[in-house]
């Protein structure tokens, strides 16, 4: 912050020079911006850059417990991350917002109009600060534009309570004063978008306070959970939204992420890409390239959480631990085949559609994602995608409501049916849609949440993981639930019954992959050959099978990962602490 304002001071000195005091005729003065609605609208458009871009949305879960990738994130590798590498302590967007709020007071503009645009600014200030609190915990609360000699430039961080209360107050102001309740383009901030975001913020804070008892804020957790439930209920009761089944249940879920325009039935806020405006994203390139992206793949431990189509746990099946890929993906929650490649998935190459198995030239585990990619291979090379990137969906609002009510102990059967039951219905699941479960799933409890006894909370967490997979929620869900230890999981993949055999992964009669310790002299065209021996050339091989000559494919099995509770917060960047020692440092990062 100090650097920013030193540069500002230099700029002010420069423009005060005698020979530079002529104002260009086309310069927009503050009066020209703030004395008419068009100026306010143009100014507030700059705030939308705070929203996550395509990379921030579709790559948001690249560091999570269910994602295997090319390399272990440095953040969770012992000794690999420190305050010197830390980022995210940038404040220019906040100054832009605060400047607008201070200047938006010209009586030439009707008060109701001014309040509408201030509401947009305060919504974005809440968004800005929520990101900061999630990342760093305590941060300085700043609601003014600093001058270069302001002593508050060197203030200490404020309490979590003050900052979170201020975020909630900003959102409440936005909810009251935003004039739009709906926006058909799904690209603008509206009253119901503010309610939905409030449900996200308050659920995070309520569960964080409940499970992180070391903050001594657990007595206030229920109040925040109630705020979350109330905000979500406003959307559920007032907005004209639903869970989309456009195109049928076999495609409806994935269509939300491959559509060229927001599916307005369900999507509330989106980042839109448009061929006509030459605005593209790189989703296909990232998710299909062997060299460009992180080669993110789901792990088997998480895939096991997808229910059978009848609503029973897959892990209740006898022999699920050694089931082949072809068998394990049968008769499952329809979102599985709309999230990863399964038998029947096909792609278009030169206008011809052809079945495509999971490709081990991309996937490390066999669970090859398709959620964000377009089927036409034309999009695979470079930044060509024009599919929409949802930022906020009605499905999340339902999940927020269900979780908040379950944590409060006030969830009813009707609540369940209208939230979790509704999402599972779209996924083709036939059982357990109308009543709160009464038996805790032993797999979920032992593998994921051993301290949770409520069957409802366990199932809501299952549903949240599946519905929002690869949308950027997972790491901070683990943070607020205080389950960072799940980041230590082995990155496991499909079960291989034996070495040195051709495997058909999509049931089309053609071999797709071959696991070996000694590469065969002759290879079959179109087959991926994966070395699971002790070495790969002259270095240790990062692949192995869990049982020696058979078992789950394990990727990066030889790389140490160890969760430390200090990872629940990022460190304050060292350079910023040197400029302002009053900031202090988060626990464990000194």
């Amino acid at each position: 912050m100090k650097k920013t304002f030193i540069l500002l001071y230099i700029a002010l000195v420069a423009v005060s020079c005698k020979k530079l005091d002529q104002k260009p005729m086309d310069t927009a003065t503050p009066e020209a911006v703030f004395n008419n609605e068009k100026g306010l609208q143009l100014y507030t458009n700059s705030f939308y850059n705070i929203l996550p871009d395509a990379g921030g949305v579709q790559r948001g879960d690249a560091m999570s417990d269910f994602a295997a990738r090319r390399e272990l994130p440095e953040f969770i590798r012992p000794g690999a991350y420190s305050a010197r590498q830390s980022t995210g302590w940038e404040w220019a967007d906040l100054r832009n917002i605060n400047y607008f709020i201070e200047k938006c007071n010209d009586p030439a503009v009707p008060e109701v109009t001014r309040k509408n645009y201030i509401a947009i600014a305060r919504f974005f200030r809440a968004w800005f600060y929520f990101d900061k609190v999630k990342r760093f915990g305590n941060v300085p609360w700043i609601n003014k534009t600093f001058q270069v000699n302001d002593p508050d430039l060197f203030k200490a961080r404020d309490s979590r309570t003050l900052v979170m209360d201020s975020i909630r107050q900003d959102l409440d102001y936005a909810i009251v004063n935003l004039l739009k309740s709906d926006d058909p383009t799904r690209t603008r901030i509206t009253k119901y978008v503010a309610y939905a975001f409030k449900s996200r913020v308050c659920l995070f804070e309520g569960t964080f306070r409940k499970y992180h008892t070391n903050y001594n804020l657990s007595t206030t957790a229920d109040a925040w959970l109630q705020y979350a439930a109330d905000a979500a209920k406003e959307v559920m009761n007032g907005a004209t939204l639903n869970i989309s089944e456009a195109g049928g249940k076999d495609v409806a879920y994935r269509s939300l992420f491959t559509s060229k325009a927001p599916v307005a039935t369900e999507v509330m806020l989106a980042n839109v890409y448009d061929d006509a405006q030459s605005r593209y994203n790189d989703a296909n390139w990232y998710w299909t390239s062997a060299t460009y992206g992180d080669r993110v793949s789901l792990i088997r431990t998480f895939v096991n959480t997808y229910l059978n189509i009848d609503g029973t746990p897959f892990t209740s099946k006898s022999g699920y631990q050694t089931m082949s890929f072809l068998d394990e993906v049968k008769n499952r929650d329809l979102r599985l085949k709309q999230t990863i490649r399964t038998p029947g998935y096909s792609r278009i190459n030169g206008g011809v559609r052809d079945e495509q198995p999971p490709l081990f030239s991309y996937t490390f585990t066999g669970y090859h994602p398709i959620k964000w990619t377009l089927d036409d291979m034309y999009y695979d090379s470079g930044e060509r995608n024009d599919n929409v990137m949802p930022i906020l969906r009605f499905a999340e609002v339902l999940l927020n409501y269900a979780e908040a009510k379950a944590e409060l102990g006030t969830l009813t059967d009707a609540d369940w049916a209208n939230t979790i039951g509704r999402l599972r219905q779209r996924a083709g699941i036939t059982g357990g849609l109308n009543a709160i479960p009464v038996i805790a799933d032993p797999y979920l409890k032992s593998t994921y949440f051993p301290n949770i006894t409520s069957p409802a909370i366990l199932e809501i967490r299952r549903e949240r993981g599946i519905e929002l997979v690869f949308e950027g929620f997972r790491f901070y869900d683990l943070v607020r639930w205080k389950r960072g230890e799940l980041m230590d999981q082995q990155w496991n993949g499909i079960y291989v019954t034996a070495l040195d055999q051709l495997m058909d992964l999509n049931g089309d009669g053609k071999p797709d992959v071959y696991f070996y310790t000694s590469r065969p002299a002759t290879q079959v065209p179109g087959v991926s050959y994966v070395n699971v021996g002790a070495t790969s050339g002259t270095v240790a091989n990062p692949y192995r099978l869990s049982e020696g000559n058979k078992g789950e494919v394990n990727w990066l099995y030889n790389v140490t990962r160890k969760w430390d509770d200090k990872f629940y917060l990022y460190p304050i960047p060292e350079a910023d602490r040197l400029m302002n020692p009053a900031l202090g440092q988060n626990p464990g990062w000194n």
Side-chain angles (χ1 to χ4, degrees):
M1 291 173 65
K2 182 180 177 185
K3 287 187 290 187
T4 299
F5 290 108
I6 288 173
L7 291 173
L8 175 63
Y9 179 74
I10 293 169
L12 289 171
V13 171
V15 300
S16 68
C17 295
K18 191 171 183 180
K19 292 184 179 180
L20 299 177
D21 61 3
Q22 284 283 82
K23 184 180 294 183
M25 294 299 292
D26 60 351
T27 296
T29 64
E31 293 76 16
V33 172
F34 290 100
N35 70 0
N36 65 92
E37 182 174 1
K38 188 65 175 178
L40 301 183
Q41 181 184 7
L42 290 173
Y43 195 120
T44 55
N45 283 347
S46 69
F47 303 152
Y48 283 82
N49 292 325
I50 293 173
L51 296 175
D53 61 10
V57 175
Q58 48 135 348
R59 304 183 195 186
D61 282 333
M63 187 173 77
S64 60
D65 63 318
F66 54 49
R69 46 183 269 183
R70 188 189 309 277
E71 296 175 339
L72 195 70
E74 284 192 348
F75 188 67
I76 60 169
R77 186 181 296 195
Y81 195 89
S82 72
R84 289 192 176 123
Q85 289 113 300
S86 189
T87 59
W89 197 262
E90 290 87 23
W91 299 82
D93 287 333
L94 178 62
R95 190 180 197 282
N96 188 37
I97 293 168
N98 284 337
Y99 181 82
F100 178 87
I101 294 171
E102 288 179 359
K103 296 295 184 182
C104 188
N105 55 19
D106 194 317
V109 181
E111 183 181 19
V112 67
T113 303
R114 278 184 277 131
K115 284 186 173 181
N116 172 68
Y117 288 102
I118 292 173
I120 294 172
R122 292 185 67 168
F123 172 90
F124 279 107
R125 186 166 66 182
W127 190 291
F128 174 91
Y129 260 110
F130 182 51
D131 281 346
K132 287 288 185 285
V133 171
K134 285 191 302 179
R135 190 173 181 89
F136 297 111
N138 293 354
V139 291
W141 174 255
I142 302 165
N143 60 359
K144 63 179 180 178
T145 52
F146 285 151
Q147 303 305 313
V148 293
N149 59 350
D150 196 316
D152 281 348
L153 279 169
F154 303 98
K155 68 181 288 187
R157 293 185 281 167
D158 288 302
S159 70
R160 186 184 188 98
T161 300
L162 184 149
V163 176
M164 289 305 301
D165 284 347
S166 300
I167 290 172
R168 183 170 54 82
Q169 288 164 15
D170 273 352
L171 289 173
D172 287 342
Y173 182 95
I175 287 165
V176 170
N177 291 287
L178 280 164
L179 295 178
K180 277 189 173 184
S181 294
D182 186 53
D183 169 53
T185 72
R186 297 303 190 250
T187 61
R188 313 302 292 180
I189 304 306
T190 67
K191 190 181 299 288
Y192 286 117
V193 166
Y195 269 124
F197 183 60
K198 182 181 177 182
S199 77
R200 179 189 296 183
V201 169
C202 295
L203 177 65
F204 179 92
E205 190 62 12
T207 49
F208 187 94
R209 294 187 184 199
K210 179 173 181 176
Y211 293 107
H212 291 260
T213 54
N214 53 308
Y215 282 78
N216 297 318
L217 294 172
S218 56
T219 57
T220 60
D222 281 0
W224 282 88
L225 292 168
Q226 191 63 56
Y227 296 145
D230 291 345
K233 193 64 172 177
E234 289 288 343
V235 180
M236 293 163 65
N237 287 345
T240 54
L241 294 162
N242 208 334
I243 296 302
S244 173
E245 292 191 13
K249 293 177 181 179
D250 279 339
V251 299
Y253 173 73
R254 184 171 175 237
S255 294
L256 294 165
F257 314 101
T258 58
S259 172
K260 301 301 180 74
V263 179
T265 311
E266 179 173 339
V267 174
M268 302 183 69
L269 185 65
N271 206 326
V272 174
Y273 295 84
D274 186 4
D275 184 59
Q277 299 181 34
S278 297
R279 188 167 188 264
Y280 306 104
N281 66 72
D282 65 353
N284 272 49
W285 195 17
Y286 179 78
W287 290 99
T288 65
S289 172
T291 55
Y292 170 65
D294 294 306
R295 292 176 62 178
V296 175
S297 315
L298 283 183
I299 67 170
R300 193 170 201 236
T301 306
F302 180 76
V303 172
N304 286 341
T305 67
Y306 283 76
L307 295 171
N308 296 318
I309 202 72
D310 63 2
T312 59
F314 170 73
T315 49
S316 66
K317 281 189 172 183
S318 177
Y320 79 89
Q321 299 93 333
T322 59
M323 201 172 285
S324 71
F325 178 76
L326 272 174
D327 289 332
E328 70 176 328
V329 298
K330 290 178 181 176
N331 299 317
R332 301 285 292 277
D333 180 330
L334 294 177
R335 287 170 294 190
L336 183 59
K337 73 174 187 177
Q338 296 176 67
T339 301
I340 62 170
R341 295 188 181 192
T342 59
Y345 173 72
S346 63
R347 304 203 71 203
I348 301 168
N349 188 4
V352 178
R353 186 173 280 277
D354 186 34
E355 287 196 33
Q356 292 282 327
L359 295 178
F360 271 84
S361 59
Y362 172 85
T363 180
F364 292 114
T365 64
Y367 303 111
H368 187 158
I370 61 169
K371 179 168 174 173
W372 289 106
T373 57
L374 301 175
D375 291 340
D376 195 327
M377 296 171 70
Y378 159 80
Y379 297 98
D380 291 359
S381 300
E383 198 169 86
R384 296 182 171 186
N385 284 59
D386 57 354
N387 50 316
V388 70
M389 295 280 157
I391 296 171
L392 207 163
R393 296 195 285 127
F394 185 56
E396 183 206 342
V397 175
L398 298 185
L399 289 165
N400 294 346
Y401 181 75
E403 186 177 349
K405 294 278 283 184
E407 291 284 2
L408 288 165
T410 58
L411 187 73
T412 67
D413 285 342
D415 293 332
W416 178 271
N418 290 328
T419 56
I420 306 305
R422 184 66 191 89
L423 292 171
R424 291 183 176 178
Q425 182 184 32
R426 195 246 305 269
I429 294 170
T430 58
L433 304 180
N434 299 312
I436 299 171
V438 295
I439 299 174
D441 176 16
Y443 179 84
L444 276 185
K445 187 168 174 58
S446 63
T447 306
Y448 281 94
F449 308 112
N451 295 324
I452 299 298
T453 58
S454 164
I457 292 176
L458 285 171
E459 290 300 324
I460 290 165
R461 291 186 181 185
R462 181 206 303 270
E463 189 66 21
R464 185 175 180 90
I466 290 168
E467 178 67 29
L468 301 179
V469 66
F470 294 140
E471 294 181 54
F473 290 91
R474 186 64 172 188
F475 179 76
Y476 281 108
D477 279 346
L478 300 184
V479 165
R480 65 188 179 87
W481 294 330
K482 204 177 183 184
R483 286 297 293 142
E485 294 86 352
L486 290 170
M487 296 292 291
D488 291 344
Q489 290 181 95
Q490 173 61 55
W491 291 348
N492 56 350
I494 63 172
Y495 193 87
V496 178
T497 56
L499 289 172
D500 304 321
Q501 65 176 12
L502 292 166
M503 297 177 62
D504 177 7
L505 296 180
N506 64 345
D508 65 353
K510 302 173 185 177
D512 301 311
V513 65
Y514 183 103
F515 294 91
Y516 69 89
T517 55
S518 296
R519 190 177 180 90
T522 303
Q523 286 90 52
V524 178
V527 172
S528 297
Y529 286 82
V530 181
N531 180 8
V532 292
T535 62
S536 178
T538 60
V539 299
N541 189 4
Y543 264 123
R544 74 169 179 185
L545 298 184
S546 61
E547 300 170 37
N549 292 332
K550 63 178 182 176
E552 294 175 343
V553 177
N554 285 343
W555 168 247
L556 289 187
Y557 79 95
N558 54 352
V559 179
T560 301
R561 64 207 80 187
K562 179 62 179 174
W563 181 263
D564 188 308
D565 279 356
K566 71 179 183 180
F567 297 152
Y568 285 120
L569 297 175
Y570 275 74
I572 309 301
E574 188 65 21
D576 295 284
R577 289 186 64 239
L578 290 173
M579 294 178 66
N580 181 10
L583 292 174
Q585 185 54 282
N586 283 327
W589 289 106
N590 284 314

